[in-house]
Amino acid sequence: MPFDEDYFNSNDFQELLHSYEASVASGDTLFLDADDFVDIADYYNYNDATDKAIEVVEQALELYPDDVLLNVFMARQALLDADYDTASEYADRIGDKEAPDYHYLVAEILIARGSIDEADEYLRKLYAQLDSDEVNDFIKDVGNLYEDYNIGQKAYEWMLRMTDDNSDDFKELMARALFGVGKYKEAGRLFNELLDNHPYSKSYWTALASAQFMSEDYHASVTSSEFAIAIDPEDPDGIDSKANALFKLGNYQESLRFYQRYADLVPDEPMNLLHQGTCLVNLGRNEEALKVMLRALDCLSADNEEDQKLKAYIYQELAFCYSALNKTDKALEMIDQTAELPCDHNDMLVVKGHILLEAQRVEEAQVFFAQAISRSDGNPDVYLRIITSLYDNRYVKASYRMLKKLLGTIAKDYTYGYSYLALCCWDLGQWDEFLVYLHEAVERNANEVRQVLGRLFPEEMPVEQYEAYIKEQLDKTKQ
């Protein structure tokens, strides 16, 4: 269930928490309702005091051994360790097998085991037996369950069953479900509505910042993150959100400062260290970047699949770093380290070619580019990455010719590459062609236009105004 920020900040809960902590300090036994024990445990858990949370529940289970919520709490702790058998044992201890939370736990264990369809069938059978006044609450609980496991599509499907509910609970769940299926602007609108009622909710500000970030509205994302940070200056999520948006805006110095501020609160987090390293590379501080990214490697777990994916990115960034320091062979060695890791191996061939181009080892680069094209069956995305590598190494005329050929032969609904072709025309001083391809790029892929051509325009200018602006600038030069 989501953290009830308002309740945990209330005087009633703070008095309850104080009474409990006073009893622990004195060694006295405090007799509370089982629900109160659960609330205290949830509070500790949310604040990363897991050991304290478990201590609360273990104490409570001595008083209420078959309580639903206490056993659910312990079962979920077991699920975090992928200990499905222990989780099932706690489920079996629950006295009331008709309690909704018992059923949700059974479904959650199935989901955690990867049996999504079986869990959904189980939940749909329960749904079919409900009275009409129970339906909406059940849907919300199921939506929360799927949200907890980042199964956005299922959460969204269940939330669409809701009727006649305009509550904040519904809006929050629907917003997160929309986010989970990639409907970021719709999610952002709902988070804005929630903030109308809860203007001091740092979690809503951070969620809005994430939705804006995914919609590529980075300026708005920075602003929303700043509200979250103003509410809680030590909130890692708000700080990380601001750092990410600043990075996308190319403000690497400020982005680095906020990534480092995050690291003060959450040390040795590999993704954060990678982000710091990438900022340092963009600032030309390659020696510092090397140290940070090598630390990131040391923080990875060999047993974690996501960490192994991250390792491939770190090796790639290390390769770029060594290449910038003119250590070409060491850079190539970093890419070789990705051979057994889960990543796009065709892309790694392109990266090898790029590194060799930087070292002016053109013939060797061509070999790796050819391999990437062959192994990808001529995927136009691979061609485009090769062409952008040529452009980055200042082979502008060659990039221009190859882009003209590529975009003239692939499917007409292909949306990428036109911004790069416009950029080549800009560099070559071919203004009429630049306007043609700028128009085409804006029509096909505004996000690529902002990323590739944004530096040519005022920072906060909408992409839709680029054509008019550049025509005005060109007219001035003719006068």
Side-chain angles (χ1 to χ4, degrees), residues 344-351 353 365-388 390 402 405-406:
D344 185 338
H345 295 289
N346 287 327
D347 196 38
M348 292 302 171
L349 290 171
V350 176
V351 173
Q366 289 174 335
V367 171
F368 286 106
F369 288 154
Q371 286 180 13
I373 292 168
S374 174
R375 293 182 187 182
S376 67
D377 295 324
N379 185 331
D381 292 341
V382 173
Y383 273 109
L384 184 57
R385 285 197 288 272
I386 292 169
I387 294 168
T388 56
L390 287 168
M402 291 175 69
K405 182 178 180 181
L406 173 66

Side-chain angles (χ1 to χ4, degrees), residues 330-349:
K330 187 68 174 177
L332 296 172
E333 182 185 317
M334 294 297 100
I335 299 301
D336 288 339
Q337 294 292 327
T338 69
E340 303 300 324
L341 295 174
C343 62
D344 185 338
H345 295 289
N346 287 327
D347 196 38
M348 292 302 171
L349 290 171

Side-chain angles (χ1 to χ4, degrees), residues 19-28 44 55 59:
S19 297
Y20 170 78
E21 291 181 339
S23 74
V24 171
S26 65
D28 296 333
Y44 282 139
E55 184 180 311
Q59 177 184 337

Side-chain angles (χ1 to χ4, degrees), residues 378-380 383 405-416 418:
N379 185 331
Y383 273 109
K405 182 178 180 181
L406 173 66
L407 298 177
T409 56
I410 60 176
K412 291 185 178 180
D413 59 355
Y414 189 72
T415 61
Y416 298 96
Y418 290 90

Side-chain angles (χ1 to χ4, degrees), residues 93-130:
R93 293 177 192 175
I94 291 172
D96 183 4
K97 297 293 195 294
E98 297 302 316
D101 283 292
Y102 167 77
H103 291 303
Y104 299 142
L105 178 58
V106 171
E108 182 171 357
I109 293 170
L110 289 169
I111 292 169
R113 288 182 182 273
S115 302
I116 311 300
D117 291 339
E118 188 178 347
D120 211 53
E121 183 179 355
Y122 179 83
L123 291 165
R124 279 188 273 112
K125 285 180 180 177
L126 292 171
Y127 176 73
Q129 300 168 13
L130 295 173

